[in-house]
Amino acid sequence: MTDRQSKIAVVTGAGSGIGRAVAVELLHAGWSVALAGRRVETLEETAALVPGAPSLAVRTDVSRPEDVEALFAAAVDRFGRIDLLFNNAGTFGPGGVPVEELPYEAWRHVVDTNLNGAFLCAQAAYRRMKQQDPQGGRIINNGSISAHTPRPHSAAYTATKHALTGLTKSLSLDGRPYRIAVGQIDIGNAATDMTARMQTGALQANGEVAPEPVMDVADVARTVRHMAELPLEANVQFATVLATAMPYVGRG
């Protein structure tokens, strides 16, 4: 399968965690993938997990419009079109900081990455999906359980993930005339470096610190691939994938 015969994806935050797992899943399934992230060396490590698969590593800070434009220009130049954006790049910000002590710079960094970055990437993908022939494509935003229910001391992260749900709904509506399908996956306790602390102890709503169950990140990746490989006439608008016994239902 050559680059231009396979479906083309852009995965942000592809150098680690959920982004890496999804990129690897897509590469194994025959997709060509543009890997975006802040560090080229980690992106190249992701690509090396599927030797010989068509991939492209592009250093990208999603909060910078010029970086995002360069990412999508490089992807189209290499592969010819964009069939999928997995809008995954994100940050928790400083953990465990009460809202009254949260520095504005930390708040702004989370908003710039999680919300503004998601918008910039979706906008760049949307422009190309609208113009390309055949027209259309799919955007999958990585939300969070925090798009529904917050953890303690997570104002910035929670606010951006709630906002991402609104962005998903608006993009989904606006994409209808152009065969652009937009959905969101909300993930709870996938086992990555970012969630390692949950297995040893996470602050609960009642003030206790307790370990939480996690799930294999590969299960998330398979769900994203299922969403991605639906025909554009079908869409998973919202999916929630979580460790079965984590404190979500009834949290608080």
Side-chain angles (χ1 to χ4, degrees), residues 1-170:
M1 179 178 288
T2 66
D3 293 4
R4 295 186 183 270
Q5 289 175 328
S6 64
K7 290 240 178 178
I8 314 304
V10 173
V11 176
T12 66
S16 63
I18 291 168
R20 171 173 284 180
V22 168
V24 167
E25 179 74 17
L26 293 174
L27 288 167
H28 275 305
W31 288 67
S32 300
V33 182
L35 308 165
R38 292 174 183 266
R39 297 171 55 205
V40 170
E41 56 269 28
T42 61
L43 300 176
E44 291 174 344
E45 289 170 5
T46 298
L49 294 172
V50 192
S55 64
L56 174 68
V58 184
R59 196 212 67 80
T60 309
D61 179 345
V62 296
S63 69
R64 297 171 59 88
E66 59 273 25
D67 279 20
V68 171
E69 183 57 32
L71 163 66
F72 282 85
V76 171
D77 182 64
R78 169 70 182 274
F79 298 120
R81 60 180 287 116
I82 304 291
D83 296 299
L84 171 70
L85 164 64
F86 182 47
N87 226 348
N88 166 72
T91 180
F92 281 134
V97 178
V99 64
E100 69 273 16
E101 298 175 11
L102 184 68
Y104 174 71
E105 293 77 13
W107 165 274
R108 182 63 183 267
H109 175 65
V110 176
V111 172
D112 281 345
T113 303
N114 295 5
L115 179 57
N116 295 343
F119 164 75
L120 289 170
C121 289
Q123 183 182 57
Y126 190 102
R127 286 170 174 160
R128 286 157 177 84
M129 290 172 178
K130 182 178 176 180
Q131 295 170 354
Q132 63 196 11
D133 183 22
Q135 189 181 60
R138 189 179 305 275
I139 298 170
I140 300 174
N141 292 326
N142 185 356
S144 171
I145 296 298
S146 293
H148 307 267
T149 309
R151 288 184 178 275
H153 305 322
S154 65
Y157 184 77
T158 298
T160 58
K161 293 303 185 178
H162 274 66
L164 197 63
T165 297
L167 180 65
T168 297
K169 291 179 178 179
S170 290

Side-chain angles (χ1 to χ4, degrees), residues 16-19 21 92 189-197 199 214-215 217:
S16 63
I18 291 168
F92 281 134
N189 288 20
T192 66
D193 291 342
M194 190 179 264
T195 61
R197 63 182 178 81
Q199 298 178 68
V214 297
M215 63 176 169
V217 70

